[in-house]
């Protein structure tokens, strides 16, 4: 090969190596040009290619001419052949790398991936972001399904509801793993890494279940063809929600007069938030009307989708007020019976303590439980008689104190107390647990743009334990939960009220913790908002729409309100859509706030 040919070939080989170097190690051993090696036939290195010598019969001087011509052709053919083979190898390696990147479910391919395993703190953060992004996508998809069922019929949306239910199962399992990690740090980095990898994988599968149906769902709604129909329906739903706001305000006023402030605290601000969502919906509908008049059906469809989501959240908030009023009334109605049962248990405990005598070893725990239950019952009576009080809190305190006393009495020597008292305690515990789970779910759903992973994990675990309590109590799964989507009740485990009571109490505690954490996250989010710090007071409700996950943030991915220079009610963002992570775009779920943790 001449020096000219070498100079022509080197830049091509350098470019090919730059493209394929990291992937050459993954190429099959038999790929052309993959690596030098022994000749397969003889087991010896292949001999270098040489141009044929000129024929002996050539005329004098013609040999030199022929050799010069042959050398020139060889100098051109060899670089072209090598560059062509290298180019084919580059295409193969690039395609193989793309396939591996597209199909992997663990971050950066996990162990043995292209970049090696992620550092554990980075993997942990990635798992948290995956949980938040997947739940946001699922909540938005469920809101879209609610509207689609109203427009297209329940039968038409059944396949999409099934996909959402399967995605919810994956997400629930992922949250269960996250709760286990938070409860007890597993021994060894490998165990924690496996759990975090599974969280990411389950979130990925949940998103793919939604994405697999996203195309069919768009065709069902067909926003371009049905823009005018959907616009009219959204306007009707908005007007109905406006009418219901008056009832919600009146119900909230009655609660504030009848009960202590803590009783209505979970819904104290929902009327303001609901009105903010409706203001945003009104602006979006006005823009949709203008876009439809201009013949821009795509823009009209975007505004209609955003308005539908805002109206759905306003309706959820109005329902939260009505439900809270029912829960408080139920708790107030059950309180007298709870106090009477506590007095009966106190009397039984005192009789047993007298029989055991003051020096009995077994009397210590029972005496302590008896003292606590007596104190709680007396305090609740004083609060009830003094004026407005919180019946849910009062019922919870009486039930917890009486439940602990009942367990001591059940373990003490004497006649079997049976399960009737445990079942009565369970029914009262379920009242408070359902109320707490509903409050946490509502807070997360309408503030999903700010609420981080810790609050969501506690809420998911509360839902799971409430479902388990329902199953252990003999109720159908989700009975009495008001459509909260509670899952996790084991089949065939009915009739264990004492175990169900423990699950219900744990669900109650976790849900109240989730509500506190969600409130902290929302306050922190508002503190980052420029200006007065109240996102919902921004013109047109655009800040509240981002806070509620109705409009996804702009390309900056900050998760905050849209910039002041953004025009239109959508504030520079874009409305959420049915689907998982792929349908949501790259920014959804990339920012995760854990309430300062």
């Amino acid at each position: 090969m001449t020096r000219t040919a070498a100079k022509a070939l080197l830049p091509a080989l350098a470019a090919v190596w730059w493209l394929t170097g990291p992937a050459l190690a993954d190429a099959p051993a038999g790929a052309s040009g993959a690596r030098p090696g022994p000749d397969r036939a003889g087991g010896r290195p292949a001999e270098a290619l040489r141009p044929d010598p000129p024929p002996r019969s050539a005329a004098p001087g013609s040999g030199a001419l022929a050799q010069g011509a042959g050398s020139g052709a060889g100098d051109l053919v060899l670089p072209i052949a090598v560059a062509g083979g290298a180019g084919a190898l580059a295409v193969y390696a690039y395609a193989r790398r793309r396939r591996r990147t597209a199909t992997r479910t663990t971050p950066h391919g996990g162990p043995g991936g292209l970049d090696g395993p992620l550092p554990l703190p980075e993997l942990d953060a990635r798992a948290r972001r995956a949980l938040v992004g997947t739940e946001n996508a699922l909540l938005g998809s469920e809101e879209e399904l609610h509207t689609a069922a109203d427009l297209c019929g329940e039968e038409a949306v059944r396949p999409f509801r099934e996909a959402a239910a399967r995605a919810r199962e994956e997400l629930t399992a992922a949250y269960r793993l996250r709760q286990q990690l938070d409860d007890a740090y597993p021994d060894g980095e490998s165990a924690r890494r496996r759990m975090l990898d599974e969280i990411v994988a389950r979130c990925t599968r949940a998103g793919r279940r939604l994405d697999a149906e996203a195309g069919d769902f768009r065709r069902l709604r067909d926003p371009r063809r049905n823009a005018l129909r959907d616009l009219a329906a959204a306007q009707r739903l908005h007007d109905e929600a406006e009418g219901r706001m008056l009832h919600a305000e009146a119900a909230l006023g009655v609660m504030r007069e009848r009960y202590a402030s803590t009783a209505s605290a979970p819904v104290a601000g929902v009327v303001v938030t609901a009105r903010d969502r409706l203001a945003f919906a009104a602006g979006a509908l006005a823009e949709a009307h203008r876009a439809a008049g201009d013949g821009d059906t795509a823009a009209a469809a975007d505004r209609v989708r955003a308005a539908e989501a805002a109206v759905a959240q306003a309706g959820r908030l109005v329902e939260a007020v009505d439900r809270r009023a029912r829960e408080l009334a139920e708790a107030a109605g059950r309180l007298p019976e709870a106090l009477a049962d506590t007095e009966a248990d106190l009397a039984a405990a005192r009789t047993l303590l007298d029989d055991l005598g003051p020096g009995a070893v077994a009397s210590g725990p029972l005496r302590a439980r008896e003292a606590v239950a007596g104190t709680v019952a007396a305090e609740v009576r004083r609060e009830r008689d003094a004026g407005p009080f919180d019946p849910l809190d009062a019922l919870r305190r009486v039930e917890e104190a009486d439940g602990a006393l009942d367990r001591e009495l059940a373990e003490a020597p004497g006649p079997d107390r049976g399960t009737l008292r445990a079942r009565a305690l369970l029914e009262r515990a379920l009242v408070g647990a359902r109320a707490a789970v509903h409050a946490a779910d509502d807070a997360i759903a309408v503030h999903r743009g700010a609420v981080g992973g810790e609050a969501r994990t506690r809420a998911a675990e509360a839902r799971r334990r409430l479902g388990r309590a329902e199953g252990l109590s003999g109720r159908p799964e989700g009975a009495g939960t008001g459509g909260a989507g509670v899952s996790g009740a084991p089949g065939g485990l009915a009739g264990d009220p004492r175990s169900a009571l423990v699950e219900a109490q744990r669900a109650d505690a976790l849900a109240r913790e989730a509500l506190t954490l969600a409130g902290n996250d929302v306050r922190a989010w508002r503190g980052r908002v420029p200006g007065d710090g109240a996102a919902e007071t921004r013109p047109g409700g655009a800040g509240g729409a981002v806070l509620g996950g109705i409009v996804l943030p702009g390309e900056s991915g900050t998760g905050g309100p849209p910039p002041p220079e953004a025009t239109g009610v959508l504030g520079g963002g874009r409305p959420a859509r049915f689907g998982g992570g792929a349908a949501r775009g790259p920014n959804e779920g990339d920012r995760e706030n854990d309430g300062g943790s």
Side-chain angles (χ1 to χ4, degrees):
M1 184 184 298
T2 66
R3 185 175 300 174
T4 302
K7 289 182 179 180
L9 180 60
L10 284 176
L13 291 177
V16 169
W17 174 253
W18 183 81
L19 287 171
T20 64
L24 286 176
D26 295 331
S32 175
R35 57 176 61 89
D39 181 70
R40 294 189 179 276
R44 295 174 291 103
E47 295 183 0
L49 296 176
R50 300 187 181 89
D52 292 335
R56 291 184 180 275
S57 58
S62 64
L65 293 174
Q67 185 173 0
S71 299
D75 289 345
L76 292 175
V77 170
L78 183 59
I80 292 173
V82 173
L89 178 60
V91 172
Y92 165 78
Y94 177 74
R96 190 166 185 263
R97 179 185 292 186
R98 289 291 302 272
R99 284 198 304 271
R100 292 178 58 189
T101 302
T103 56
R104 69 188 181 208
T105 58
T106 55
H108 294 273
L114 294 176
D115 302 325
L118 284 176
L120 198 60
E122 188 175 346
L123 179 58
D124 186 273
R126 187 184 183 94
R128 292 176 185 272
R129 291 194 300 269
L131 287 167
V132 172
T134 302
E135 183 167 40
N136 285 353
L138 184 55
L139 287 170
S141 298
E142 289 170 345
E143 286 174 354
E144 281 237 56
L145 284 173
H146 178 76
T147 304
D150 184 70
L151 294 174
C152 307
E154 189 62 42
E155 189 62 30
V157 301
R158 187 182 305 279
F160 309 109
R161 286 202 188 279
E162 292 174 354
R166 291 193 295 270
R168 175 67 69 179
E169 290 173 359
E170 293 281 4
L171 184 61
T172 298
Y175 271 127
R176 177 62 178 147
L177 289 167
R178 181 75 256 178
Q179 184 68 46
Q180 291 173 352
L181 286 170
D182 292 346
D183 286 342
Y185 200 95
D187 294 335
E189 178 179 331
S190 60
R192 186 170 180 85
R193 182 177 295 278
R194 282 194 301 271
M195 296 174 74
L196 292 171
D197 280 339
E198 186 176 352
I199 289 173
V200 175
R202 285 187 176 276
C203 290
T204 300
R205 287 197 295 269
R208 285 174 177 171
R209 288 186 183 278
L210 296 175
D211 288 334
E213 304 292 338
D216 289 341
F217 187 83
R218 285 193 295 271
R219 285 187 286 274
L220 173 69
R221 295 295 305 269
D222 197 356
R224 293 179 181 273
R225 188 183 67 185
N226 298 322
L228 295 179
R229 181 204 68 178
D230 292 354
L231 176 56
Q235 188 69 60
R236 172 179 57 81
L237 293 173
H238 172 272
D239 296 342
E240 291 175 356
E242 283 278 11
R244 294 175 62 195
M245 287 299 302
L246 298 176
H247 175 75
E249 288 177 329
L252 188 57
V254 170
M255 274 190 279
R256 287 170 173 163
E257 292 178 1
R258 184 175 298 174
Y259 306 113
S261 60
T262 56
S264 59
V267 294
V270 300
V271 171
V272 174
T273 303
R275 286 206 175 280
D276 174 78
R277 298 296 189 272
L278 290 179
F280 173 82
L285 289 171
E287 289 190 6
H289 280 291
R290 287 194 293 270
D294 294 339
D296 190 351
T297 56
D302 275 348
R303 272 61 180 173
V304 168
R305 292 295 185 274
E308 290 172 348
V311 169
Q313 287 193 12
R316 179 169 189 154
L317 291 167
V318 169
E319 173 58 28
V321 175
D322 295 339
R323 186 177 59 247
R324 189 70 177 184
R326 294 193 299 269
E327 291 164 349
L328 290 169
E330 182 180 4
R334 287 181 178 272
L335 185 59
E337 179 186 4
L339 289 170
D341 287 347
T342 302
E343 287 298 335
D345 284 345
L346 287 170
R350 290 163 186 155
T351 299
L352 182 58
L353 287 171
D354 291 340
D355 293 341
L356 292 174
V361 176
S363 66
L366 179 60
R367 194 177 300 278
R369 298 298 186 187
E370 182 268 338
V372 170
T375 301
V376 170
E379 290 176 350
V380 167
R381 280 196 172 88
R382 283 196 300 271
E383 292 172 5
R384 183 190 60 180
D385 297 339
F389 72 108
D390 185 344
L392 272 169
D393 179 68
L395 184 65
R396 178 183 294 114
R397 288 154 55 200
V398 170
E399 170 267 317
E400 288 176 351
D402 192 17
L405 178 60
D406 179 73
R407 285 191 293 273
E408 290 295 332
L409 289 171
E411 295 174 2
D416 184 10
R417 292 174 57 84
T419 60
L420 291 178
R421 181 57 54 84
R423 191 171 294 280
L425 288 167
L426 171 62
E427 290 298 324
R428 293 193 282 268
L430 287 172
V431 174
R434 292 188 202 111
V437 168
H438 282 133
D441 284 346
D442 290 338
I444 291 170
V446 300
H447 301 110
R448 73 190 68 153
V451 177
E454 190 175 359
R456 296 166 187 255
T457 300
R458 303 298 177 269
E461 181 66 4
R463 285 194 302 271
R464 191 189 72 84
R465 287 185 177 267
L466 178 55
R468 183 170 174 80
E470 295 281 8
L472 290 169
S473 70
R475 289 172 170 267
E477 183 174 342
T481 60
V486 173
S487 62
L493 293 179
D496 189 355
R498 295 189 187 280
S499 297
L501 177 61
V502 173
E503 295 289 343
Q505 290 173 337
R506 182 58 178 154
D508 191 0
L510 284 166
R512 287 184 285 128
E513 182 184 357
L515 187 60
T516 299
L517 291 169
N520 294 340
D521 288 346
V522 173
R523 283 188 290 273
W525 187 88
R526 286 172 174 154
R528 295 193 296 269
V529 177
D532 59 12
E536 287 88 345
T537 63
R538 293 174 67 87
V546 175
L547 179 60
I550 297 165
V551 173
L552 304 182
E555 293 308 314
S556 63
T558 61
E565 64 274 11
T567 58
V569 72
L570 294 189
R574 62 191 189 281
R577 287 287 188 271
F578 181 94
R584 287 325 215 212
N587 291 321
E588 176 70 356
D590 283 352
R591 181 196 58 82
E592 198 272 339
N593 166 41
D594 256 334
S597 62

